[in-house]
Amino acid sequence: MPEEERALPIVIVGHVDHGKSTLIGRLLYDTQSLPLDKYAEIQKTSEMLGKRVEFAFVMDCLEEERSRGITIDTTQTFFKTPKRRYVIIDAPGHKEFLKNMITGSSQAEVAVLIIDSFEGIRDQTKRHAYILGMLGLKQVCVLLNKIDLVDYSKDKFEELKGEITDFLGRLNIRPTFILPISAILGDNVATPSEKIPWFDGPTVLEALDTFKELKVEEKPLRFPIQDIYRIDGERVLVGRIEAGHLKKGETLFLLPNNRKVTVKSIRKFLSDDVTTASFEESIGISLKGRPRVKRGQILSADLSSKISDRISANIFWMDPAGFHTGDSLLFRCVTQEVPCRIEKINKKFDPASMELIEKDAFSIEGAEVADVLLQLEEKVVADPFSEIPEMGRFVLEKDGRPVAGGIIP
Ligand code: GDP
């Protein structure tokens, strides 16, 4: 995909009524990302109702358009700054958000946590924060919305900022920004506001523009070996590049054994001998010499991965039958398949409330979330989910059926 077309995926979470839809409407409006005729319509309706532009209404307009199946994609909302495009990922509920992130059906790289300055931290603020902590998302921006409702008070802002920093710190989340805004009036969203002269930080758009894209294609190579074919008397390792790129003649590490190998040739579909291959390509590689290789090993450009037979992870248990201590499981991460068991269930949560159910538990029921220690029969290679998602996401199987999804923070 050309550089300018890629959009940074962000998710906007927060307690109900704290201003998510209003913020989205405001972002789309201020960045001229709405269909042209919508502007007039929004202005007219707002005037008719005799009030200021109600931005949550922008979202309703879009919903209507979506339900008629025109113009707008059903799950993706885009906006643009001079720097780049953004796509707002739908998070219908925190449970869905968690499930989507774990299974890879949506992948937010930035999280915006919105909090009503008048109400402060509420239940869903906490639940969403727990999830962001579990996912290990590093790029977090907190918005203290409705600053107009607390008279643009610096003291109130500082007080809340302190509370939030403490609360998030306990979950290992260090937000890059905590900004005062009024989504409805547009204070500090796209433009700085003279009503908050005491604040010299960035606007929401400026803050978002500082975040980095994951750029998995620029990370060190990760090539999980899927299979080994014999072609023209040569052993060819086939698979899909999950991160980075590789070159003919390059020296790589064969993991988890940590053996150095050299790329003799690279094949792609319909071209036998190419010099380079990159992220997302399915290729075949032959190596110099005759190193012992097998399915499930990973060819890596460096040694930054975690290589261990003990893995701490967060899992989302999907199987109604639940888990009981001693159950044998199969760990699957990219092409790695290793028998394992759950050695310790440190904590488990109810995903609907994100409330702690039990510490040091012995079982996990269907639809529970748990922080666990896995003991594997062999060493596996993994990366933090927030760095290389495909290498930090796994499935647990029981008797051939997937029973849980997990991530390595
Ligand atoms: P959501 O449930 O998080 O999507 O919240 P909404 O965007 O629907 O907002 C809930 C209510 O708060 C609506 O009536 C908005 O008009 C109001 N609201 C949102 N942002 C602001 C703000 O910055 N200031 C004030 N005073 N009201 C706001």
Side-chain angles (χ1 to χ4, degrees):
M1 198 183 278
E3 189 64 28
E4 67 276 14
E5 276 186 24
R6 211 230 168 217
L8 184 70
I10 65 175
V11 67
I12 301 176
V13 294
H15 191 80
V16 63
D17 279 349
H18 281 198
K20 285 184 299 291
S21 324
T22 306
L23 175 70
I24 297 171
R26 169 59 78 179
L27 286 168
L28 298 181
Y29 190 82
D30 284 0
T31 57
Q32 283 89 49
S33 305
L34 290 166
L36 270 181
D37 57 329
K38 287 285 161 234
Y39 287 91
E41 195 180 319
I42 289 163
Q43 292 287 357
K44 208 170 109 203
T45 315
S46 300
E47 274 163 29
M48 235 163 57
L49 297 171
K51 55 178 184 176
R52 57 193 176 185
V53 176
E54 183 61 62
F55 281 96
F57 166 74
V58 174
M59 289 309 285
D60 296 342
C61 273
L62 295 183
E63 275 321 317
E64 197 187 296
E65 197 132 325
R66 283 171 180 178
S67 61
R68 278 186 285 143
I70 47 172
T71 334
I72 292 156
D73 187 294
T74 37
T75 51
Q76 313 224 295
T77 310
F78 291 91
F79 67 93
K80 203 173 170 183
T81 64
K83 181 173 172 182
R84 67 176 158 217
R85 293 172 79 221
Y86 291 87
V87 55
I88 302 171
I89 288 180
D90 242 3
H94 53 277
K95 195 168 152 189
E96 288 76 12
F97 170 50
L98 180 63
K99 206 169 156 197
N100 290 351
M101 284 288 280
I102 288 182
T103 56
S105 56
S106 66
Q107 183 78 49
E109 293 177 27
V110 170
V112 173
L113 176 63
I114 188 163
I115 302 171
D116 182 325
S117 303
F118 189 74
E119 289 203 352
I121 299 172
R122 297 290 301 274
D123 288 358
Q124 288 161 356
T125 320
K126 291 186 186 165
R127 287 174 210 160
H128 281 123
Y130 278 123
I131 293 171
L132 300 182
M134 272 183 64
L135 296 171
L137 267 181
K138 300 271 182 315
Q139 308 200 102
V140 177
C141 177
V142 175
L143 301 180
L144 299 186
N145 189 31
K146 308 197 190 179
I147 195 75
D148 55 299
L149 289 187
V150 295
D151 299 326
Y152 299 94
S153 155
K154 178 175 194 250
D155 291 347
K156 182 71 194 170
F157 171 74
E158 293 296 343
E159 181 194 324
L160 248 179
K161 182 176 168 181
E163 264 174 48
I164 285 156
T165 309
D166 282 355
F167 168 67
L168 295 180
R170 277 181 261 130
L171 302 171
N172 264 329
I173 304 170
R174 304 200 199 298
T176 318
F177 302 99
I178 300 184
L179 310 176
I181 67 156
S182 168
I184 202 142
L185 300 173
D187 292 315
N188 210 35
V189 177
T191 42
S193 168
E194 58 205 25
K195 292 181 215 132
I196 39 176
W198 44 265
F199 184 73
D200 60 2
T203 62
V204 177
L205 292 183
E206 284 164 352
L208 291 177
D209 276 351
T210 68
F211 288 123
K212 292 197 173 62
E213 287 159 43
L214 199 53
K215 295 212 167 152
V216 179
E217 62 276 20
E218 289 173 17
K219 303 264 161 153
L221 175 81
R222 299 287 184 267
F223 178 73
I225 300 171
Q226 195 183 333
D227 215 338
I228 296 149
Y229 295 161
R230 185 163 284 280
I231 304 174
D232 307 330
E234 211 172 41
R235 275 189 317 162
V236 178
L237 323 179
V238 297
R240 177 180 182 272
I241 301 180
E242 298 294 357
H245 47 84
L246 90 168
K247 286 199 293 280
K248 187 172 162 173
E250 196 175 347
T251 300
L252 301 170
F253 296 96
L254 184 61
L255 303 177
N257 320 50
N258 196 355
R259 200 197 147 123
K260 278 191 177 173
V261 294
T262 306
V263 179
K264 184 173 152 199
S265 68
I266 305 170
R267 297 163 193 253
K268 291 185 192 172
F269 181 60
L270 296 181
S271 44
D272 259 2
D273 192 16
V274 294
T275 50
T276 59
S278 50
F279 175 59
E280 285 186 323
E281 285 186 299
S282 291
I283 57 164
I285 299 175
S286 63
L287 299 174
K288 282 196 182 143
R290 294 193 57 81
R292 284 163 63 98
V293 282
K294 60 175 189 179
R295 173 184 159 87
Q297 288 176 319
I298 314 286
L299 279 174
S300 275
D302 69 2
L303 294 174
S304 62
S305 299
K306 182 179 174 64
I307 302 173
S308 179
D309 55 2
R310 286 164 82 76
I311 299 260
S312 291
N314 291 309
I315 61 171
F316 186 89
W317 198 270
M318 296 177 287
D319 188 37
F323 168 82
H324 300 277
T325 308
D327 285 355
S328 345
L329 302 168
L330 183 75
F331 172 94
R332 261 181 195 274
C333 168
V334 284
T335 60
Q336 306 176 98
E337 291 168 22
V338 177
C340 77
R341 57 194 169 79
I342 297 177
E343 187 164 294
K344 203 158 179 300
I345 305 168
N346 296 319
K347 286 184 220 156
K348 56 178 197 167
F349 300 93
D350 171 354
S353 64
M354 270 325 262
E355 266 160 28
L356 182 68
I357 300 176
E358 198 181 354
K359 277 189 177 173
D360 299 327
F362 291 99
S363 64
I364 308 173
E365 307 306 319
E368 282 178 353
V369 171
D371 162 348
V372 298
L373 176 67
L374 299 174
Q375 176 67 55
L376 298 116
E377 260 179 31
E378 285 171 33
K379 286 184 178 168
V380 292
V381 184
D383 290 286
F385 174 73
S386 58
E387 290 282 313
I388 304 180
E390 287 310 317
M391 294 291 299
R393 165 190 293 140
F394 62 89
V395 169
L396 295 176
E397 286 185 6
K398 191 172 148 191
D399 306 326
R401 285 178 300 122
V403 288
I407 49 166
I408 298 158

